Amino acid sequence: MIEISLEYWNKLADQIIMISSLLAGFSVAVVANFLVSETNNRLMRTIMKSATIAASFFLIALFSMTKILMMTTEGFPFKVSGDDLMFPKLVGGISFFIGIISLITMISLSGWTKSKNMGKFTTVIGILALILILFMLT
């Protein structure tokens, strides 16, 4: 198995930090909108739960990748090996993936708040987006 260099992990962590921060901010904005909304039905609660999960897991990914970024930056005061990055890589990767799943779920459910046809459309688009994202992550 090929070991990935610390420089590569540094650049990858930097990219995931940017993506996670943008998506976490978007998810937090959705949660804030639902907090002030007067509508309180099962669908809206499910969308809010999905947005909350997305925001939380994107923030976890952001801080995990920040740890990797700091540990792989030149000048870090301690010696770092690939094993030292194992836990933050695992937590960050899984959190990022769960955040994506939750965000796609939120998008897929959003159309159902308007109509049955719009719900079908957003669900199909969400499934298609998830499949393409999964292909791009592998």
Side-chain angles (χ1 to χ4, degrees), residues 81-97:
S81 69
D83 291 338
D84 296 331
L85 301 177
M86 186 62 68
F87 186 66
K89 286 189 307 192
L90 187 64
V91 170
I94 291 171
S95 298
F96 187 68
F97 183 71

PDB file of all heavy atoms in Angstrom, residues 81-97:
ATOM      1  N   SER A  81       4.266  11.395  12.403  1.00  0.00           N
ATOM      2  CA  SER A  81       4.307  10.241  11.498  1.00  0.00           C
ATOM      3  C   SER A  81       2.899  10.020  10.944  1.00  0.00           C
ATOM      4  O   SER A  81       1.930  10.643  11.394  1.00  0.00           O
ATOM      5  CB  SER A  81       4.789   8.993  12.250  1.00  0.00           C
ATOM      6  OG  SER A  81       3.813   8.576  13.177  1.00  0.00           O
ATOM      7  N   GLY A  82       2.791   9.133   9.995  1.00  0.00           N
ATOM      8  CA  GLY A  82       1.499   8.822   9.404  1.00  0.00           C
ATOM      9  C   GLY A  82       0.503   8.284  10.421  1.00  0.00           C
ATOM     10  O   GLY A  82      -0.695   8.511  10.319  1.00  0.00           O
ATOM     11  N   ASP A  83       1.010   7.570  11.425  1.00  0.00           N
ATOM     12  CA  ASP A  83       0.135   7.011  12.458  1.00  0.00           C
ATOM     13  C   ASP A  83      -0.490   8.093  13.324  1.00  0.00           C
ATOM     14  O   ASP A  83      -1.595   7.918  13.836  1.00  0.00           O
ATOM     15  CB  ASP A  83       0.920   6.032  13.346  1.00  0.00           C
ATOM     16  CG  ASP A  83       1.316   4.771  12.599  1.00  0.00           C
ATOM     17  OD1 ASP A  83       0.667   4.456  11.577  1.00  0.00           O
ATOM     18  OD2 ASP A  83       2.275   4.101  13.035  1.00  0.00           O
ATOM     19  N   ASP A  84       0.212   9.200  13.497  1.00  0.00           N
ATOM     20  CA  ASP A  84      -0.319  10.303  14.308  1.00  0.00           C
ATOM     21  C   ASP A  84      -1.549  10.938  13.657  1.00  0.00           C
ATOM     22  O   ASP A  84      -2.376  11.541  14.333  1.00  0.00           O
ATOM     23  CB  ASP A  84       0.743  11.392  14.511  1.00  0.00           C
ATOM     24  CG  ASP A  84       1.937  10.895  15.298  1.00  0.00           C
ATOM     25  OD1 ASP A  84       1.767   9.986  16.136  1.00  0.00           O
ATOM     26  OD2 ASP A  84       3.046  11.418  15.067  1.00  0.00           O
ATOM     27  N   LEU A  85      -1.650  10.797  12.347  1.00  0.00           N
ATOM     28  CA  LEU A  85      -2.763  11.397  11.614  1.00  0.00           C
ATOM     29  C   LEU A  85      -3.954  10.456  11.470  1.00  0.00           C
ATOM     30  O   LEU A  85      -5.005  10.872  10.971  1.00  0.00           O
ATOM     31  CB  LEU A  85      -2.297  11.819  10.218  1.00  0.00           C
ATOM     32  CG  LEU A  85      -1.150  12.819  10.145  1.00  0.00           C
ATOM     33  CD1 LEU A  85      -0.777  13.062   8.702  1.00  0.00           C
ATOM     34  CD2 LEU A  85      -1.521  14.112  10.834  1.00  0.00           C
ATOM     35  N   MET A  86      -3.801   9.202  11.905  1.00  0.00           N
ATOM     36  CA  MET A  86      -4.840   8.198  11.662  1.00  0.00           C
ATOM     37  C   MET A  86      -6.195   8.598  12.244  1.00  0.00           C
ATOM     38  O   MET A  86      -7.210   8.559  11.537  1.00  0.00           O
ATOM     39  CB  MET A  86      -4.414   6.841  12.240  1.00  0.00           C
ATOM     40  CG  MET A  86      -5.378   5.724  11.903  1.00  0.00           C
ATOM     41  SD  MET A  86      -5.528   5.404  10.141  1.00  0.00           S
ATOM     42  CE  MET A  86      -3.925   4.767   9.801  1.00  0.00           C
ATOM     43  N   PHE A  87      -6.260   8.985  13.508  1.00  0.00           N
ATOM     44  CA  PHE A  87      -7.541   9.314  14.135  1.00  0.00           C
ATOM     45  C   PHE A  87      -8.181  10.559  13.528  1.00  0.00           C
ATOM     46  O   PHE A  87      -9.362  10.520  13.161  1.00  0.00           O
ATOM     47  CB  PHE A  87      -7.388   9.445  15.656  1.00  0.00           C
ATOM     48  CG  PHE A  87      -8.698   9.648  16.363  1.00  0.00           C
ATOM     49  CD1 PHE A  87      -9.653   8.651  16.384  1.00  0.00           C
ATOM     50  CD2 PHE A  87      -8.980  10.848  16.983  1.00  0.00           C
ATOM     51  CE1 PHE A  87     -10.871   8.832  17.021  1.00  0.00           C
ATOM     52  CE2 PHE A  87     -10.194  11.053  17.613  1.00  0.00           C
ATOM     53  CZ  PHE A  87     -11.142  10.036  17.642  1.00  0.00           C
ATOM     54  N   PRO A  88      -7.445  11.672  13.375  1.00  0.00           N
ATOM     55  CA  PRO A  88      -8.092  12.834  12.745  1.00  0.00           C
ATOM     56  C   PRO A  88      -8.509  12.571  11.293  1.00  0.00           C
ATOM     57  O   PRO A  88      -9.530  13.094  10.842  1.00  0.00           O
ATOM     58  CB  PRO A  88      -7.058  13.951  12.824  1.00  0.00           C
ATOM     59  CG  PRO A  88      -5.851  13.397  13.430  1.00  0.00           C
ATOM     60  CD  PRO A  88      -6.123  12.015  13.887  1.00  0.00           C
ATOM     61  N   LYS A  89      -7.753  11.746  10.567  1.00  0.00           N
ATOM     62  CA  LYS A  89      -8.148  11.396   9.190  1.00  0.00           C
ATOM     63  C   LYS A  89      -9.456  10.617   9.200  1.00  0.00           C
ATOM     64  O   LYS A  89     -10.355  10.891   8.399  1.00  0.00           O
ATOM     65  CB  LYS A  89      -7.071  10.543   8.504  1.00  0.00           C
ATOM     66  CG  LYS A  89      -5.843  11.306   8.098  1.00  0.00           C
ATOM     67  CD  LYS A  89      -4.905  10.491   7.227  1.00  0.00           C
ATOM     68  CE  LYS A  89      -4.507   9.161   7.774  1.00  0.00           C
ATOM     69  NZ  LYS A  89      -3.398   8.515   7.057  1.00  0.00           N
ATOM     70  N   LEU A  90      -9.564   9.658  10.092  1.00  0.00           N
ATOM     71  CA  LEU A  90     -10.762   8.835  10.191  1.00  0.00           C
ATOM     72  C   LEU A  90     -11.976   9.676  10.598  1.00  0.00           C
ATOM     73  O   LEU A  90     -13.023   9.624   9.949  1.00  0.00           O
ATOM     74  CB  LEU A  90     -10.532   7.702  11.198  1.00  0.00           C
ATOM     75  CG  LEU A  90     -11.610   6.649  11.318  1.00  0.00           C
ATOM     76  CD1 LEU A  90     -11.741   5.878  10.014  1.00  0.00           C
ATOM     77  CD2 LEU A  90     -11.280   5.692  12.458  1.00  0.00           C
ATOM     78  N   VAL A  91     -11.823  10.460  11.646  1.00  0.00           N
ATOM     79  CA  VAL A  91     -12.921  11.305  12.123  1.00  0.00           C
ATOM     80  C   VAL A  91     -13.305  12.330  11.059  1.00  0.00           C
ATOM     81  O   VAL A  91     -14.487  12.531  10.764  1.00  0.00           O
ATOM     82  CB  VAL A  91     -12.547  11.996  13.453  1.00  0.00           C
ATOM     83  CG1 VAL A  91     -13.566  13.058  13.830  1.00  0.00           C
ATOM     84  CG2 VAL A  91     -12.413  10.977  14.568  1.00  0.00           C
ATOM     85  N   GLY A  92     -12.319  12.979  10.465  1.00  0.00           N
ATOM     86  CA  GLY A  92     -12.586  13.987   9.448  1.00  0.00           C
ATOM     87  C   GLY A  92     -13.248  13.419   8.207  1.00  0.00           C
ATOM     88  O   GLY A  92     -14.202  13.993   7.686  1.00  0.00           O
ATOM     89  N   GLY A  93     -12.771  12.286   7.737  1.00  0.00           N
ATOM     90  CA  GLY A  93     -13.335  11.671   6.540  1.00  0.00           C
ATOM     91  C   GLY A  93     -14.759  11.191   6.746  1.00  0.00           C
ATOM     92  O   GLY A  93     -15.648  11.448   5.926  1.00  0.00           O
ATOM     93  N   ILE A  94     -14.996  10.505   7.850  1.00  0.00           N
ATOM     94  CA  ILE A  94     -16.345  10.019   8.143  1.00  0.00           C
ATOM     95  C   ILE A  94     -17.302  11.187   8.372  1.00  0.00           C
ATOM     96  O   ILE A  94     -18.437  11.180   7.880  1.00  0.00           O
ATOM     97  CB  ILE A  94     -16.332   9.052   9.354  1.00  0.00           C
ATOM     98  CG1 ILE A  94     -15.616   7.752   8.965  1.00  0.00           C
ATOM     99  CG2 ILE A  94     -17.742   8.776   9.859  1.00  0.00           C
ATOM    100  CD1 ILE A  94     -15.344   6.817  10.119  1.00  0.00           C
ATOM    101  N   SER A  95     -16.860  12.201   9.091  1.00  0.00           N
ATOM    102  CA  SER A  95     -17.702  13.369   9.355  1.00  0.00           C
ATOM    103  C   SER A  95     -18.043  14.107   8.070  1.00  0.00           C
ATOM    104  O   SER A  95     -19.190  14.532   7.873  1.00  0.00           O
ATOM    105  CB  SER A  95     -17.004  14.329  10.323  1.00  0.00           C
ATOM    106  OG  SER A  95     -16.790  13.712  11.550  1.00  0.00           O
ATOM    107  N   PHE A  96     -17.070  14.263   7.194  1.00  0.00           N
ATOM    108  CA  PHE A  96     -17.305  14.929   5.916  1.00  0.00           C
ATOM    109  C   PHE A  96     -18.341  14.149   5.097  1.00  0.00           C
ATOM    110  O   PHE A  96     -19.269  14.724   4.530  1.00  0.00           O
ATOM    111  CB  PHE A  96     -15.982  15.054   5.151  1.00  0.00           C
ATOM    112  CG  PHE A  96     -16.063  15.875   3.901  1.00  0.00           C
ATOM    113  CD1 PHE A  96     -16.295  17.233   3.958  1.00  0.00           C
ATOM    114  CD2 PHE A  96     -15.893  15.284   2.659  1.00  0.00           C
ATOM    115  CE1 PHE A  96     -16.366  18.002   2.800  1.00  0.00           C
ATOM    116  CE2 PHE A  96     -15.961  16.036   1.492  1.00  0.00           C
ATOM    117  CZ  PHE A  96     -16.201  17.401   1.570  1.00  0.00           C
ATOM    118  N   PHE A  97     -18.206  12.835   5.083  1.00  0.00           N
ATOM    119  CA  PHE A  97     -19.134  11.979   4.337  1.00  0.00           C
ATOM    120  C   PHE A  97     -20.550  12.066   4.915  1.00  0.00           C
ATOM    121  O   PHE A  97     -21.528  12.207   4.173  1.00  0.00           O
ATOM    122  CB  PHE A  97     -18.626  10.534   4.351  1.00  0.00           C
ATOM    123  CG  PHE A  97     -19.476   9.596   3.563  1.00  0.00           C
ATOM    124  CD1 PHE A  97     -19.492   9.642   2.182  1.00  0.00           C
ATOM    125  CD2 PHE A  97     -20.257   8.654   4.206  1.00  0.00           C
ATOM    126  CE1 PHE A  97     -20.283   8.778   1.445  1.00  0.00           C
ATOM    127  CE2 PHE A  97     -21.053   7.779   3.480  1.00  0.00           C
ATOM    128  CZ  PHE A  97     -21.062   7.844   2.100  1.00  0.00           C
TER     129      PHE A  97
END
